[in-house]
Amino acid sequence: MNRPLLISCLLASAGSISAFAPPQSSINYAIGRRRSTTPLFSAIVPPPEERSDANPSTKFGSPLSDGLKEANRWSIGFLKGTIFDTFFAGEDRAYARFYALETIARVPYFSYLSVLHLYETLGRWRRAKYLKLHFAESWNELHHLLIMEELGGNDRFLDRFLAQHIAFGYYGVVILSYLINPIFAYNLNQDVEEHAFSTYDEYLRENEEMLKGQPAPQAAIDYYVDGDMYMFDEFQTNCEMRRPKIENLYDVFVAIRDDEAAHVETMKTLQTELDVASIHDGECEVDIF
């Protein structure tokens, strides 16, 4: 084949291909449209101008309707009435009930940390304060659990089986909720912590005399009295310098109840505020010495 004929064939082929190809402007429009309507893409690789060091609950979340908040509250009340009030009924089942409660109550903070580490790994959002805050909250719940274990709350296999399997499923639920809407996850945990507060408060009122006659578990002394209080202070986001008095078992349950109240306030704050206070970051006017 001579050169002029070869060139003619190539030009004809190029023309036939371009006849079936969409215009370049159409390709650009399609790509731009796909980027703007794909949540996963926009969540992982945001435009540089949208990257900022902001609270994930306001950066990625959406405010909840009163109906959705009520649904969260109802679901927690339903689980309390159908599982906890039934399975852990009886005066001798209080510590088992608290063991299950603390096993489950730790889970949201693990889920938050998992998602926040994912965001940081993908370069989506980074802030050490939230990692430290949620770890401090999980550290607090861990010591509640250690106290309940020392009191014998985990003696029965069935109690451990139920609590641990509920916690496993709850971990996935909270991760999904936090990925979709962090405000929803914080609101749900607020209801859980309010349930924990009311449970401990009722137990204190009904068993004050008995509890004051019992010694404090060593796990409580190690945490509230002899332990390093740095992580304890980190979840006091209302700038309150708490130092619980631990002289008997009643004091221990008072401290745990007040811890749950602090978690409730933090969950409320994270639904509306851009930041939370930290005593050790110099953001609170308290004397820490």
Side-chain angles (χ1 to χ4, degrees):
M1 181 178 297
N2 58 34
R3 182 172 298 179
L5 181 60
L6 175 62
I7 294 174
S8 300
C9 291
L10 290 175
L11 290 175
S13 299
S16 62
I17 293 174
S18 61
F20 290 98
Q24 188 66 26
S25 59
S26 300
I27 296 175
N28 292 338
Y29 172 77
I31 293 175
R33 184 177 180 182
R34 185 169 185 177
R35 286 180 179 174
S36 64
T37 58
T38 307
L40 180 61
F41 183 87
S42 61
I44 295 177
V45 188
E49 65 272 11
E50 293 184 9
R51 299 181 185 179
S52 63
D53 189 26
N55 182 336
S57 66
T58 54
K59 188 65 177 177
F60 306 120
S62 302
L64 302 185
S65 65
D66 292 339
L68 193 53
K69 291 179 181 179
E70 186 60 33
N72 280 345
R73 193 173 299 110
W74 180 89
S75 64
I76 299 303
F78 175 78
L79 292 174
K80 174 183 178 294
T82 56
I83 297 179
F84 280 86
D85 291 348
T86 301
F87 190 80
F88 297 103
E91 294 183 1
D92 62 334
R93 301 285 287 149
Y95 296 153
R97 179 192 184 104
F98 296 146
Y99 162 79
L101 180 62
E102 295 301 342
T103 299
I104 298 168
R106 304 170 63 202
V107 167
Y109 307 113
F110 295 154
S111 300
Y112 303 157
L113 289 169
S114 297
V115 175
L116 290 172
H117 278 297
L118 174 64
Y119 285 153
E120 183 170 329
T121 301
L122 298 176
R124 183 65 180 93
W125 183 80
R126 176 181 294 165
R127 191 166 188 175
K129 176 176 284 189
Y130 276 81
L131 294 173
K132 183 169 63 172
L133 169 64
H134 292 319
F135 178 77
E137 290 170 316
S138 72
W139 187 252
N140 175 253
E141 300 287 9
L142 165 64
H143 287 85
H144 293 178
L145 182 62
L146 293 175
I147 292 168
M148 299 311 157
E149 290 177 347
E150 187 174 337
L151 291 172
N154 65 333
D155 286 350
R156 297 186 185 181
F157 168 78
L158 192 57
D159 294 338
R160 299 194 303 272
F161 182 88
L162 178 66
Q164 291 166 0
H165 282 74
I166 291 177
F168 181 78
Y170 188 35
Y171 175 75
V173 169
V174 178
I175 280 185
L176 184 62
S177 300
Y178 201 74
L179 283 168
I180 295 174
N181 188 355
I183 293 181
F184 177 87
Y186 286 139
N187 181 261
L188 183 65
N189 195 41
Q190 175 190 333
D191 294 331
V192 172
E193 297 291 8
E194 286 177 346
H195 159 59
F197 172 85
S198 62
T199 300
Y200 285 120
D201 190 58
E202 180 181 358
Y203 184 71
L204 282 165
R205 286 186 279 104
E206 294 179 352
N207 299 275
E208 180 177 356
E209 185 176 350
M210 180 273 291
L211 292 172
K212 286 185 175 179
Q214 301 292 324
Q218 187 60 45
I221 297 173
D222 292 342
Y223 179 59
Y224 289 111
V225 180
D226 298 334
D228 184 349
M229 302 301 285
Y230 180 89
M231 296 307 295
F232 182 80
D233 292 335
E234 279 303 311
F235 74 88
Q236 312 296 330
T237 55
N238 59 355
C239 291
E240 178 184 1
M241 178 62 70
R242 290 177 53 214
R243 289 297 179 264
K245 176 191 69 172
I246 304 296
E247 295 180 353
N248 49 51
L249 191 54
Y250 180 84
D251 293 338
V252 173
F253 276 98
V254 169
I256 293 174
R257 179 201 62 188
D258 294 345
D259 290 347
E260 306 298 355
H263 293 317
V264 170
E265 291 304 315
T266 300
M267 292 300 103
K268 287 182 179 178
T269 301
L270 289 171
Q271 295 174 59
T272 58
E273 302 296 329
L274 294 175
D275 204 355
V276 290
S278 171
I279 291 176
H280 294 286
D281 288 347
E283 298 169 342
C284 300
E285 296 182 0
V286 296
D287 183 5
I288 64 174
F289 301 103

